[in-house]
Coordinates of all heavy atoms in Angstrom, one line a residue:
M1 N -28.5 60.0 99.6 CA -28.6 59.2 98.4 C -27.3 58.4 98.3 O -26.2 58.8 98.4 CB -28.7 60.1 97.1 CG -28.9 59.3 95.8 SD -29.0 60.4 94.4 CE -27.3 61.1 94.4
N2 N -27.5 57.1 98.0 CA -26.4 56.2 97.8 C -26.1 56.0 96.4 O -26.5 55.0 95.7 CB -26.8 54.9 98.5 CG -25.6 54.0 98.7 OD1 -24.4 54.4 98.5 ND2 -25.8 52.7 99.0
F3 N -25.3 57.0 95.8 CA -25.0 56.9 94.4 C -23.9 56.0 94.1 O -22.8 56.2 94.7 CB -24.8 58.4 93.9 CG -24.7 58.5 92.4 CD1 -25.8 58.3 91.6 CD2 -23.5 58.9 91.8 CE1 -25.7 58.4 90.3 CE2 -23.4 59.1 90.5 CZ -24.5 58.8 89.7
P4 N -24.0 55.1 93.2 CA -23.0 54.0 93.1 C -21.7 54.4 92.3 O -20.7 53.7 92.4 CB -23.7 52.9 92.4 CG -24.8 53.6 91.6 CD -25.2 54.8 92.4
F5 N -21.8 55.5 91.5 CA -20.7 55.8 90.7 C -19.7 56.7 91.4 O -20.1 57.5 92.2 CB -21.1 56.5 89.4 CG -21.9 55.6 88.4 CD1 -23.2 55.4 88.6 CD2 -21.2 55.0 87.4 CE1 -24.0 54.6 87.7 CE2 -21.9 54.2 86.5 CZ -23.3 54.0 86.7
D6 N -18.4 56.6 91.0 CA -17.4 57.5 91.6 C -17.5 58.9 91.0 O -17.2 59.9 91.6 CB -16.0 57.0 91.3 CG -15.6 55.8 92.1 OD1 -16.2 55.6 93.2 OD2 -14.7 55.0 91.7
D7 N -18.0 59.0 89.7 CA -18.2 60.3 89.1 C -19.4 61.0 89.8 O -20.3 60.4 90.3 CB -18.6 60.1 87.6 CG -17.4 59.4 86.8 OD1 -16.4 60.1 86.6 OD2 -17.6 58.2 86.5
A8 N -19.4 62.3 89.7 CA -20.5 63.1 90.3 C -21.8 62.8 89.6 O -21.8 62.5 88.4 CB -20.2 64.6 90.1
P9 N -22.9 62.9 90.3 CA -24.2 62.6 89.7 C -24.6 63.4 88.5 O -25.3 63.0 87.6 CB -25.2 62.8 90.9 CG -24.4 62.6 92.1 CD -23.0 63.1 91.8
N10 N -24.0 64.7 88.5 CA -24.4 65.5 87.3 C -23.4 65.4 86.2 O -23.4 66.2 85.2 CB -24.5 67.0 87.8 CG -23.1 67.5 88.3 OD1 -22.1 66.8 88.4 ND2 -23.1 68.8 88.6
T11 N -22.5 64.4 86.2 CA -21.6 64.1 85.1 C -22.4 63.8 83.8 O -23.3 63.0 83.8 CB -20.7 62.9 85.4 OG1 -20.0 63.2 86.6 CG2 -19.7 62.6 84.3
A12 N -22.0 64.5 82.7 CA -22.7 64.2 81.5 C -22.4 62.9 80.9 O -21.2 62.5 80.9 CB -22.4 65.3 80.5
A13 N -23.4 62.1 80.4 CA -23.2 60.8 79.8 C -23.9 60.8 78.5 O -24.8 61.7 78.3 CB -23.6 59.7 80.7
I14 N -23.6 59.9 77.6 CA -24.3 59.8 76.3 C -25.3 58.6 76.4 O -24.9 57.5 76.8 CB -23.2 59.6 75.2 CG1 -22.4 60.8 75.1 CG2 -23.9 59.2 73.9 CD1 -21.2 60.7 74.1
T15 N -26.5 58.8 75.9 CA -27.4 57.7 75.6 C -28.0 58.0 74.3 O -27.5 58.7 73.5 CB -28.5 57.7 76.8 OG1 -29.3 56.6 76.6 CG2 -29.3 59.0 76.9
C16 N -29.1 57.3 74.0 CA -29.7 57.4 72.6 C -31.2 57.6 72.7 O -31.8 57.3 73.7 CB -29.3 56.2 71.8 SG -30.1 54.7 72.3
C17 N -31.8 58.0 71.6 CA -33.2 58.3 71.6 C -34.0 57.1 71.8 O -35.2 57.2 72.3 CB -33.6 59.0 70.3 SG -33.3 58.0 68.8
H18 N -33.5 55.9 71.5 CA -34.3 54.7 71.7 C -34.5 54.4 73.2 O -35.6 54.0 73.5 CB -33.5 53.5 71.0 CG -33.1 53.7 69.6 ND1 -31.8 53.9 69.2 CD2 -33.9 54.0 68.5 CE1 -31.8 54.1 67.9 NE2 -33.0 54.2 67.5
I19 N -33.5 54.7 74.0 CA -33.6 54.5 75.4 C -34.5 55.6 76.0 O -35.4 55.3 76.8 CB -32.2 54.4 76.0 CG1 -31.6 53.1 75.6 CG2 -32.3 54.5 77.6 CD1 -30.1 53.0 75.9
M20 N -34.2 56.8 75.6 CA -34.9 58.0 76.2 C -36.4 58.0 75.7 O -37.3 58.3 76.5 CB -34.3 59.3 75.8 CG -33.0 59.5 76.5 SD -33.2 59.8 78.3 CE -32.9 58.2 78.9
N21 N -36.7 57.8 74.4 CA -38.0 58.1 73.9 C -38.8 56.8 73.6 O -40.0 56.9 73.5 CB -37.9 58.9 72.6 CG -37.1 60.2 72.8 OD1 -36.1 60.5 72.1 ND2 -37.5 61.0 73.7
Q22 N -38.1 55.7 73.4 CA -38.8 54.5 73.0 C -38.7 53.5 74.1 O -39.2 52.3 74.0 CB -38.3 53.9 71.7 CG -38.5 54.9 70.5 CD -37.8 54.4 69.3 OE1 -37.6 53.2 69.1 NE2 -37.5 55.3 68.4
N23 N -38.1 53.9 75.2 CA -38.0 53.0 76.4 C -37.3 51.6 76.1 O -37.7 50.6 76.7 CB -39.3 52.8 77.0 CG -39.2 52.7 78.5 OD1 -38.3 53.2 79.1 ND2 -40.2 52.0 79.2
M24 N -36.4 51.6 75.1 CA -35.6 50.4 74.9 C -34.7 50.2 76.0 O -34.2 51.1 76.7 CB -34.8 50.6 73.6 CG -35.6 50.8 72.3 SD -36.0 49.3 71.5 CE -34.4 48.7 71.0
P25 N -34.3 48.9 76.3 CA -33.4 48.6 77.4 C -32.0 49.0 77.1 O -31.6 49.1 75.9 CB -33.5 47.1 77.5 CG -34.0 46.6 76.2 CD -34.8 47.7 75.6
I26 N -31.2 49.3 78.1 CA -29.7 49.5 77.9 C -29.0 48.2 77.8 O -29.1 47.4 78.7 CB -29.2 50.3 79.2 CG1 -29.9 51.6 79.3 CG2 -27.7 50.5 79.1 CD1 -29.6 52.3 80.7
L27 N -28.4 48.0 76.6 CA -27.8 46.7 76.4 C -26.3 46.8 76.1 O -25.6 45.9 76.0 CB -28.4 46.0 75.2 CG -29.9 45.6 75.4 CD1 -30.5 44.9 74.2 CD2 -30.1 44.8 76.7
H28 N -25.8 48.1 76.0 CA -24.4 48.3 75.7 C -23.9 49.5 76.5 O -24.5 50.6 76.4 CB -24.1 48.6 74.2 CG -22.7 48.9 73.9 ND1 -21.7 47.9 73.8 CD2 -22.0 50.1 73.8 CE1 -20.5 48.5 73.6 NE2 -20.7 49.8 73.6
V29 N -22.9 49.3 77.3 CA -22.3 50.4 78.2 C -20.9 50.5 77.9 O -20.2 49.5 77.9 CB -22.6 50.2 79.7 CG1 -21.9 51.3 80.5 CG2 -24.1 50.1 79.9
S30 N -20.3 51.7 77.7 CA -18.9 51.8 77.5 C -18.4 53.0 78.4 O -19.1 54.0 78.7 CB -18.5 52.0 76.1 OG -18.9 53.2 75.6
H31 N -17.2 52.9 78.8 CA -16.5 53.9 79.6 C -15.2 54.3 78.9 O -14.3 53.5 78.9 CB -16.2 53.3 81.0 CG -15.9 54.4 82.1 ND1 -15.5 54.1 83.3 CD2 -16.0 55.7 82.1 CE1 -15.3 55.2 84.0 NE2 -15.6 56.2 83.3
D32 N -15.2 55.4 78.3 CA -14.2 55.8 77.3 C -12.8 55.9 77.9 O -12.6 56.5 79.0 CB -14.6 57.1 76.6 CG -13.7 57.3 75.4 OD1 -14.1 56.9 74.3 OD2 -12.6 58.0 75.5
E33 N -11.8 55.3 77.2 CA -10.4 55.3 77.7 C -9.9 56.7 77.8 O -9.2 57.1 78.7 CB -9.6 54.5 76.7 CG -8.1 54.6 76.9 CD -7.6 53.4 77.7 OE1 -7.8 52.3 77.2 OE2 -7.2 53.5 78.8
E34 N -10.2 57.6 76.8 CA -9.5 58.9 76.7 C -10.1 60.0 77.5 O -9.4 60.7 78.2 CB -9.5 59.3 75.2 CG -8.5 58.5 74.4 CD -8.5 58.8 73.0 OE1 -9.1 59.8 72.5 OE2 -7.8 58.1 72.2
D35 N -11.5 60.0 77.5 CA -12.1 61.2 78.3 C -13.0 60.7 79.4 O -13.6 61.6 80.1 CB -12.8 62.1 77.3 CG -13.9 61.3 76.5 OD1 -14.2 60.2 76.9 OD2 -14.5 61.9 75.6
G36 N -13.1 59.4 79.7 CA -13.9 58.9 80.8 C -15.3 59.0 80.6 O -16.1 58.8 81.5
M37 N -15.8 59.4 79.3 CA -17.2 59.5 79.1 C -17.9 58.2 79.1 O -17.5 57.2 78.5 CB -17.4 60.2 77.7 CG -18.8 60.4 77.2 SD -19.6 61.7 78.2 CE -19.4 63.1 77.0
W38 N -19.0 58.2 79.8 CA -19.9 57.0 79.9 C -20.9 57.0 78.7 O -21.4 58.1 78.4 CB -20.7 56.9 81.2 CG -19.9 56.6 82.4 CD1 -19.3 57.5 83.2 CD2 -19.7 55.3 82.9 NE1 -18.7 56.9 84.3 CE2 -18.9 55.5 84.1 CE3 -20.1 54.0 82.6 CZ2 -18.5 54.4 84.9 CZ3 -19.6 53.0 83.4 CH2 -18.9 53.2 84.5
Q39 N -21.1 55.9 78.1 CA -22.2 55.8 77.1 C -23.1 54.6 77.5 O -22.7 53.5 77.8 CB -21.6 55.5 75.7 CG -20.7 56.6 75.2 CD -20.4 56.5 73.7 OE1 -21.2 56.1 72.9 NE2 -19.2 56.8 73.4
F40 N -24.4 54.9 77.4 CA -25.4 53.9 77.7 C -26.3 53.8 76.5 O -27.2 54.6 76.3 CB -26.2 54.3 79.0 CG -25.4 54.5 80.2 CD1 -24.8 55.7 80.5 CD2 -25.2 53.5 81.1 CE1 -24.0 55.9 81.6 CE2 -24.4 53.6 82.2 CZ -23.8 54.8 82.5
L41 N -26.2 52.7 75.8 CA -26.9 52.6 74.5 C -27.7 51.3 74.4 O -27.6 50.4 75.2 CB -25.8 52.6 73.3 CG -24.9 53.9 73.3 CD1 -23.8 53.8 72.3 CD2 -25.8 55.1 73.0
C42 N -28.6 51.3 73.4 CA -29.5 50.2 73.2 C -28.9 49.0 72.5 O -29.6 47.9 72.5 CB -30.8 50.7 72.5 SG -30.4 51.1 70.8
G43 N -27.8 49.2 71.9 CA -27.1 48.0 71.2 C -27.3 48.1 69.7 O -26.7 47.3 69.0
R44 N -28.2 49.0 69.2 CA -28.3 49.1 67.7 C -27.2 50.0 67.3 O -26.5 50.6 68.1 CB -29.6 49.8 67.4 CG -30.9 49.1 67.8 CD -32.0 49.9 67.1 NE -33.3 49.7 67.8 CZ -34.4 50.3 67.4 NH1 -34.4 51.1 66.4 NH2 -35.5 50.0 68.1
S45 N -27.0 50.1 65.9 CA -26.1 51.1 65.4 C -26.9 52.5 65.3 O -28.1 52.5 65.3 CB -25.6 50.7 64.0 OG -26.7 50.6 63.2
H46 N -26.1 53.6 65.4 CA -26.8 54.9 65.6 C -26.2 55.9 64.6 O -25.1 55.9 64.2 CB -26.5 55.4 67.0 CG -27.2 54.6 68.0 ND1 -26.6 53.6 68.7 CD2 -28.5 54.7 68.5 CE1 -27.4 53.1 69.6 NE2 -28.6 53.7 69.4
D47 N -27.1 56.8 64.2 CA -26.7 58.0 63.5 C -26.4 59.0 64.6 O -26.9 58.9 65.7 CB -27.8 58.6 62.6 CG -28.0 57.7 61.4 OD1 -27.1 57.0 61.0 OD2 -29.2 57.6 61.0
T48 N -25.6 60.0 64.3 CA -25.2 61.0 65.3 C -26.4 61.8 65.9 O -26.4 62.1 67.1 CB -24.2 62.0 64.8 OG1 -24.7 62.5 63.5 CG2 -22.8 61.4 64.6
N49 N -27.4 62.0 65.1 CA -28.6 62.7 65.6 C -29.5 61.9 66.5 O -30.5 62.4 67.0 CB -29.4 63.3 64.4 CG -30.1 62.2 63.6 OD1 -29.9 61.0 63.8 ND2 -30.8 62.6 62.6
E50 N -29.1 60.6 66.7 CA -29.9 59.8 67.7 C -29.2 59.8 69.1 O -29.8 59.2 70.0 CB -29.9 58.3 67.1 CG -30.8 58.3 65.9 CD -30.8 56.9 65.3 OE1 -29.7 56.2 65.2 OE2 -31.9 56.4 64.9
G51 N -28.1 60.5 69.2 CA -27.5 60.6 70.5 C -28.2 61.6 71.4 O -28.8 62.5 70.9
R52 N -28.2 61.3 72.7 CA -28.8 62.2 73.7 C -27.8 62.4 74.9 O -27.1 61.4 75.2 CB -30.1 61.7 74.2 CG -31.2 61.5 73.2 CD -31.8 62.8 72.7 NE -32.8 62.6 71.8 CZ -32.7 62.5 70.5 NH1 -31.5 62.6 69.9 NH2 -33.7 62.4 69.7
I53 N -27.8 63.5 75.5 CA -27.0 63.8 76.7 C -27.9 63.6 77.9 O -29.0 64.1 77.9 CB -26.4 65.2 76.7 CG1 -25.5 65.4 75.4 CG2 -25.6 65.4 78.0 CD1 -24.2 64.6 75.5
I54 N -27.4 62.9 78.9 CA -28.1 62.7 80.1 C -27.1 62.8 81.2 O -25.9 62.5 81.0 CB -28.9 61.4 80.1 CG1 -29.9 61.2 81.2 CG2 -27.9 60.2 80.0 CD1 -30.8 60.0 81.1
S55 N -27.6 63.1 82.4 CA -26.6 63.0 83.6 C -26.5 61.5 84.0 O -27.4 60.7 83.8 CB -27.2 63.9 84.7 OG -28.3 63.3 85.3
L56 N -25.4 61.3 84.7 CA -25.2 59.9 85.2 C -26.3 59.6 86.2 O -26.8 58.4 86.2 CB -23.8 59.9 85.9 CG -23.0 58.6 85.9 CD1 -23.0 57.9 84.6 CD2 -21.6 58.9 86.5
H57 N -26.7 60.6 86.9 CA -27.8 60.3 87.9 C -29.1 60.0 87.1 O -29.9 59.1 87.5 CB -28.1 61.6 88.8 CG -29.2 61.4 89.7 ND1 -30.4 62.0 89.6 CD2 -29.3 60.6 90.8 CE1 -31.2 61.7 90.5 NE2 -30.6 60.8 91.3
G58 N -29.3 60.7 86.0 CA -30.5 60.5 85.2 C -30.6 59.1 84.6 O -31.7 58.5 84.6
I59 N -29.5 58.6 84.2 CA -29.5 57.2 83.6 C -29.7 56.2 84.7 O -30.3 55.1 84.5 CB -28.2 57.0 82.7 CG1 -28.5 55.8 81.7 CG2 -27.0 56.7 83.6 CD1 -29.3 56.2 80.5
Y60 N -29.1 56.5 85.9 CA -29.3 55.6 87.0 C -30.7 55.5 87.5 O -31.2 54.4 87.8 CB -28.4 56.1 88.2 CG -28.5 55.4 89.5 CD1 -28.3 54.0 89.6 CD2 -28.9 56.0 90.6 CE1 -28.5 53.3 90.8 CE2 -29.1 55.4 91.8 CZ -28.9 54.0 91.9 OH -29.0 53.4 93.1
V61 N -31.4 56.6 87.5 CA -32.8 56.6 87.8 C -33.6 55.9 86.8 O -34.6 55.2 87.1 CB -33.3 58.1 88.0 CG1 -34.9 58.2 88.1 CG2 -32.7 58.7 89.2
H62 N -33.2 56.1 85.5 CA -33.9 55.5 84.4 C -33.8 53.9 84.5 O -34.8 53.2 84.2 CB -33.4 56.0 83.1 CG -34.0 55.4 81.9 ND1 -35.2 55.9 81.4 CD2 -33.7 54.4 81.0 CE1 -35.6 55.2 80.3 NE2 -34.7 54.3 80.1
D63 N -32.6 53.4 84.8 CA -32.4 52.0 85.0 C -31.4 51.7 86.0 O -30.2 51.7 85.8 CB -31.9 51.4 83.6 CG -31.7 49.9 83.7 OD1 -31.9 49.3 84.8 OD2 -31.4 49.3 82.7
P64 N -31.8 51.5 87.3 CA -30.9 51.3 88.4 C -30.0 50.1 88.2 O -29.0 50.0 88.9 CB -31.8 51.1 89.6 CG -33.1 51.7 89.2 CD -33.2 51.5 87.7
S65 N -30.2 49.2 87.3 CA -29.3 48.1 87.1 C -28.0 48.5 86.6 O -27.0 47.7 86.6 CB -30.0 47.0 86.2 OG -29.9 47.4 84.9
V66 N -27.8 49.7 86.1 CA -26.5 50.2 85.6 C -25.5 50.3 86.8 O -24.3 50.4 86.6 CB -26.5 51.5 84.8 CG1 -27.4 51.4 83.6 CG2 -27.0 52.7 85.7
A67 N -26.1 50.3 88.0 CA -25.2 50.3 89.2 C -24.2 49.1 89.2 O -23.1 49.2 89.8 CB -26.0 50.3 90.5
Q68 N -24.6 48.0 88.6 CA -23.7 46.9 88.5 C -22.4 47.2 87.7 O -21.5 46.5 87.9 CB -24.4 45.7 87.7 CG -25.7 45.2 88.5 CD -26.5 44.3 87.5 OE1 -25.9 43.6 86.7 NE2 -27.8 44.3 87.7
L69 N -22.5 48.3 86.9 CA -21.3 48.6 86.1 C -20.6 49.9 86.7 O -19.7 50.4 86.0 CB -21.7 48.9 84.7 CG -22.3 47.6 84.0 CD1 -22.9 48.0 82.6 CD2 -21.3 46.5 83.8
A70 N -20.9 50.3 87.9 CA -20.4 51.5 88.4 C -18.9 51.5 88.5 O -18.2 52.6 88.4 CB -21.0 51.9 89.7
D71 N -18.3 50.3 88.7 CA -16.8 50.3 88.8 C -16.2 49.8 87.5 O -15.0 49.4 87.4 CB -16.4 49.4 89.9 CG -16.9 48.0 89.8 OD1 -17.6 47.7 88.8 OD2 -16.6 47.1 90.7
L72 N -16.9 49.9 86.3 CA -16.3 49.6 85.0 C -15.2 50.5 84.7 O -15.4 51.7 84.7 CB -17.4 49.7 83.9 CG -17.0 49.3 82.5 CD1 -16.9 47.7 82.5 CD2 -18.0 49.8 81.5
P73 N -13.9 50.0 84.5 CA -12.8 50.9 84.3 C -12.9 51.7 83.0 O -13.5 51.2 82.1 CB -11.6 50.0 84.4 CG -12.1 48.7 84.9 CD -13.5 48.6 84.6
C74 N -12.2 52.8 82.9 CA -12.0 53.4 81.6 C -11.4 52.5 80.6 O -10.4 51.7 81.0 CB -11.2 54.7 81.7 SG -12.0 56.0 82.6
G75 N -11.9 52.5 79.4 CA -11.3 51.6 78.3 C -12.0 50.2 78.3 O -11.6 49.4 77.5
Y76 N -13.1 50.1 79.0 CA -13.8 48.8 79.0 C -15.3 49.1 78.5 O -15.8 50.2 78.7 CB -13.9 48.2 80.4 CG -12.6 47.5 80.8 CD1 -11.5 48.2 81.1 CD2 -12.5 46.1 80.8 CE1 -10.3 47.6 81.5 CE2 -11.3 45.5 81.1 CZ -10.2 46.2 81.5 OH -9.0 45.6 81.8
S77 N -15.9 48.1 78.0 CA -17.3 48.2 77.7 C -18.0 46.9 78.2 O -17.4 45.9 78.5 CB -17.5 48.4 76.2 OG -17.0 47.3 75.5
A78 N -19.3 47.0 78.2 CA -20.1 45.8 78.7 C -21.4 45.7 77.8 O -22.0 46.7 77.4 CB -20.6 46.1 80.2
D79 N -21.7 44.4 77.5 CA -22.9 44.1 76.7 C -23.7 43.1 77.5 O -23.2 42.3 78.2 CB -22.5 43.6 75.4 CG -21.8 44.6 74.5 OD1 -22.5 45.4 73.9 OD2 -20.5 44.6 74.6
R80 N -25.0 43.1 77.2 CA -25.9 42.0 77.7 C -26.9 41.7 76.6 O -27.3 42.6 75.8 CB -26.5 42.3 79.0 CG -27.4 43.5 79.0 CD -28.0 43.8 80.4 NE -28.6 45.1 80.4 CZ -29.2 45.6 81.5 NH1 -29.2 45.0 82.7 NH2 -29.8 46.8 81.4
Q81 N -27.4 40.5 76.6 CA -28.3 40.0 75.5 C -29.7 40.6 75.7 O -30.4 41.0 74.8 CB -28.5 38.5 75.6 CG -27.2 37.8 75.3 CD -27.2 37.2 73.9 OE1 -28.0 36.3 73.6 NE2 -26.5 37.8 73.0
D82 N -30.1 40.7 77.0 CA -31.4 41.4 77.3 C -31.3 41.8 78.7 O -30.3 41.6 79.4 CB -32.6 40.4 77.1 CG -32.5 39.2 77.9 OD1 -32.4 39.3 79.2 OD2 -32.4 38.1 77.3
I83 N -32.4 42.5 79.2 CA -32.3 43.2 80.5 C -32.2 42.2 81.7 O -31.7 42.6 82.8 CB -33.6 44.1 80.6 CG1 -33.3 45.2 81.6 CG2 -34.8 43.3 80.9 CD1 -34.2 46.4 81.4
T84 N -32.4 40.9 81.5 CA -32.3 40.0 82.6 C -31.0 39.2 82.5 O -30.6 38.5 83.5 CB -33.4 38.9 82.5 OG1 -33.3 38.2 81.3 CG2 -34.8 39.6 82.7
A85 N -30.2 39.4 81.4 CA -28.9 38.6 81.3 C -27.8 39.3 82.0 O -27.9 40.5 82.3 CB -28.6 38.6 79.8
A86 N -26.8 38.5 82.3 CA -25.6 39.1 83.0 C -24.8 39.9 82.0 O -24.8 39.7 80.8 CB -24.7 38.0 83.5
W87 N -24.1 41.0 82.6 CA -23.2 41.8 81.7 C -22.0 41.0 81.4 O -21.4 40.3 82.2 CB -22.9 43.1 82.5 CG -24.0 44.0 82.7 CD1 -24.7 44.3 83.8 CD2 -24.5 44.9 81.7 NE1 -25.6 45.2 83.5 CE2 -25.5 45.7 82.3 CE3 -24.1 45.2 80.3 CZ2 -26.2 46.7 81.6 CZ3 -24.8 46.2 79.7 CH2 -25.8 46.9 80.3
N88 N -21.6 41.2 80.1 CA -20.4 40.6 79.6 C -19.4 41.7 79.4 O -19.6 42.6 78.5 CB -20.7 39.9 78.3 CG -19.5 39.2 77.7 OD1 -18.6 38.8 78.4 ND2 -19.6 39.0 76.4
I89 N -18.3 41.8 80.2 CA -17.4 42.9 80.2 C -16.2 42.6 79.4 O -15.6 41.5 79.5 CB -17.0 43.3 81.6 CG1 -18.3 43.8 82.3 CG2 -15.9 44.3 81.7 CD1 -18.1 44.0 83.8
Q90 N -15.8 43.5 78.5 CA -14.5 43.3 77.8 C -13.8 44.6 77.7 O -14.3 45.7 77.8 CB -14.7 42.7 76.4 CG -15.4 43.6 75.4 CD -16.9 43.5 75.4 OE1 -17.4 42.4 75.5 NE2 -17.7 44.6 75.4
K91 N -12.4 44.5 77.5 CA -11.6 45.6 77.2 C -11.7 46.0 75.8 O -11.7 45.2 74.9 CB -10.1 45.3 77.5 CG -9.2 46.5 77.7 CD -7.8 46.1 78.2 CE -7.0 47.2 78.7 NZ -7.2 48.5 78.0
D92 N -11.9 47.4 75.5 CA -12.1 47.8 74.1 C -10.7 47.8 73.4 O -9.7 48.0 74.0 CB -12.7 49.2 74.1 CG -14.1 49.2 74.5 OD1 -14.8 48.1 74.3 OD2 -14.6 50.2 75.0
Ligands
ZN1 ZN1 -30.3 53.4 70.5

């Protein structure tokens, strides 16, 4: 398997119920400065009960286009307007 991330495939990441249960596109990705946690979110605002834990491998299988962000450094986030748009990366 050619896994694009430096983190192990079973690394826990955060996503949301919209992506998992409603098949919404991933439009916001962040890589946390302090703990290195990846978040893959739909771009809406969220209540805490809408968060879901997924493995990095699981989110990659769900949407292989996240491979474009595999080298996103800690402390950065990326947004896109829709699933066909380019990622816009900024430092948090
Ligand atoms: Zn969501």
Side-chain angles (χ1 to χ4, degrees):
M1 184 180 67
N2 192 12
F3 189 63
F5 291 85
D6 287 339
D7 299 288
N10 65 354
T11 301
I14 293 172
T15 184
C16 67
C17 63
H18 308 113
I19 289 166
M20 286 294 94
N21 304 124
Q22 298 173 28
N23 216 26
M24 295 272 293
I26 299 167
L27 298 181
H28 177 82
V29 175
S30 67
H31 196 189
D32 193 89
E33 173 97 66
E34 285 175 10
D35 58 11
M37 180 71 96
W38 289 91
Q39 296 192 39
F40 299 90
L41 301 172
C42 66
R44 299 190 204 177
S45 58
H46 293 97
D47 292 328
T48 48
N49 67 359
E50 294 176 317
R52 298 287 183 272
I53 300 291
I54 191 171
S55 69
L56 208 48
H57 180 253
I59 202 77
Y60 173 60
V61 168
H62 183 81
D63 181 356
S65 76
V66 299
Q68 296 167 33
L69 297 172
D71 58 359
L72 186 72
C74 291
Y76 283 74
S77 63
D79 294 277
R80 59 181 173 180
Q81 296 257 290
D82 59 59
I83 201 156
T84 62
W87 288 102
N88 182 25
I89 294 170
Q90 68 270 317
K91 195 170 193 330
D92 287 334

